[in-house]
Amino acid sequence: MMLEATVGAQDHQTKLRRNAKAFNPKDVGGGTAQNNQIRQKVGLTPASLSAGLGVERGGVFIALPELNSRSSKLGSVLQRVFFWSNGRVTLYDQRNFSGRRLDLTGDCPHLQEKNFPERCNSVHVESGAWVGYEEQNYRGRQHLWDMYESGDYPSADRWCSSSDQIASVRSLKQDQSVPRIHLFEWPGYSGRRCEIQEDVPNMMSRFRVNNISSARVLGGTWVAYQEPNYRGAHFILERGDHNNCNEWGNHSGIIGSIRRVQFM
């Protein structure tokens, strides 16, 4: 339903752009008859402005009328999806969301180029899903920040890390397909196969196997943990074929648990 609403908002905004005219958003609550006509034409009301259900682009305020009938929380989510395709994340160099901060809405191969130290002790995910790497250019140990636990990580241990080293960050692309992954015991998609469509907190209890050497991601984006209950070192599995576990950075081949990456 959320995807349908988002697509509907996009289609409607395309139509609104054809009729929208430039005006001063400060005058939207009252003012000239011309502004009243403009507000009617683009579907903008003072209520939608106060709720933040629109955006100014090049001097033109575009409303999203579909959001007026939704809850403010849903409207906020849809706006984030529509205007920040990659999402938004804030990094802090101190615990509990304090100290220096860095806001990102896209990939960053070198945090130092943003004048941010290569350390991170807390993270707030506004939307989307993100991976922090301990080395520049998306190399080294991976750390996932998604919306699994409301997007708040007050300390590094919340993302299963004993180190605050973060040198690069990238956003994960959301795959809208039905989540589905095949895990294979041996490289080259051979040996026992585990077909998974939902979160699995304990691979050994569920499938009696935790040695995984290849994978085919048929839908969704997944994160595999070396320990049960989504703990320990973890690795991102995006849509496509992965002939060997080294391809996703898991040199041991052990998967103790696996879950779907949460984007909202």
Side-chain angles (χ1 to χ4, degrees):
M1 181 178 294
M2 185 174 297
L3 176 60
E4 292 174 354
T6 305
V7 172
Q10 291 173 332
D11 292 342
H12 193 75
Q13 196 213 33
T14 300
K15 295 177 182 178
L16 293 176
R17 284 187 183 277
R18 299 193 186 106
N19 296 324
K21 297 180 181 179
F23 68 103
N24 186 352
K26 294 181 180 179
D27 296 333
V28 74
T32 67
Q34 182 182 11
N35 275 345
N36 288 332
Q37 293 173 356
I38 295 172
R39 288 198 305 274
Q40 276 190 332
K41 188 171 289 188
V42 301
L44 184 62
T45 67
S48 66
L49 264 181
S50 63
L53 305 183
V55 66
E56 186 181 1
R57 286 285 188 260
V60 178
F61 200 104
I62 301 299
L64 302 181
E66 287 82 2
L67 301 186
N68 291 331
S69 61
R70 309 285 182 178
S71 68
S72 60
K73 182 177 180 181
L74 176 58
S76 177
V77 169
L78 291 179
Q79 284 186 81
R80 290 197 294 267
V81 172
F82 184 68
F83 295 110
W84 297 324
S85 59
N86 293 327
R88 185 181 184 93
V89 66
T90 302
L91 279 58
Y92 300 84
D93 70 345
Q94 302 296 324
R95 294 165 61 97
N96 298 313
F97 318 110
S98 61
R100 296 179 62 181
R101 61 178 284 172
L102 174 65
D103 296 312
L104 294 174
T105 56
D107 297 349
C108 181
H110 306 280
L111 287 185
Q112 285 185 335
E113 293 183 355
K114 300 284 188 180
N115 295 318
F116 191 79
E118 290 187 347
R119 67 176 186 273
C120 178
N121 281 285
S122 54
V123 171
H124 171 67
V125 179
E126 178 77 13
S127 60
W130 302 79
V131 185
Y133 295 83
E134 294 189 357
E135 300 176 17
Q136 295 181 352
N137 295 312
Y138 321 120
R139 300 176 64 85
R141 186 169 176 175
Q142 308 169 29
H143 302 289
L144 174 66
W145 306 313
D146 67 350
M147 300 297 289
Y148 182 67
E149 292 184 349
S150 74
D152 285 333
Y153 300 83
S155 58
D157 63 323
R158 294 294 295 272
W159 60 80
C160 305
S161 177
S162 58
S163 168
D164 64 358
Q165 178 73 16
I166 296 291
S168 55
V169 175
R170 75 176 177 95
S171 63
L172 292 177
K173 307 303 180 185
Q174 185 173 9
D175 183 86
Q176 300 288 356
S177 304
V178 175
R180 188 181 176 198
I181 185 172
H182 291 167
L183 303 178
F184 298 85
E185 188 176 11
W186 304 115
Y189 321 110
S190 59
R192 288 189 58 185
R193 187 187 79 173
C194 306
E195 181 170 342
I196 299 173
Q197 294 180 314
E198 59 187 8
D199 298 353
V200 179
N202 193 312
M203 284 288 295
M204 185 60 74
S205 297
R206 176 78 174 272
F207 296 103
R208 300 298 176 190
V209 63
N210 64 358
N211 243 332
I212 301 298
S213 296
S214 56
R216 281 195 168 119
V217 181
L218 306 175
T221 306
W222 299 78
V223 52
Y225 296 79
Q226 285 190 332
E227 301 175 17
N229 299 312
Y230 319 123
R231 301 293 301 172
H234 48 279
F235 314 93
I236 306 302
L237 287 160
E238 297 178 89
R239 186 165 185 170
D241 291 345
H242 306 272
N243 185 62
N244 192 292
C245 59
N246 292 330
E247 293 182 11
W248 65 80
N250 186 359
H251 303 298
S252 71
I254 300 296
I255 293 183
S257 53
I258 186 169
R259 69 171 178 85
R260 296 157 293 182
V261 173
Q262 299 297 320
F263 290 83
M264 295 183 189

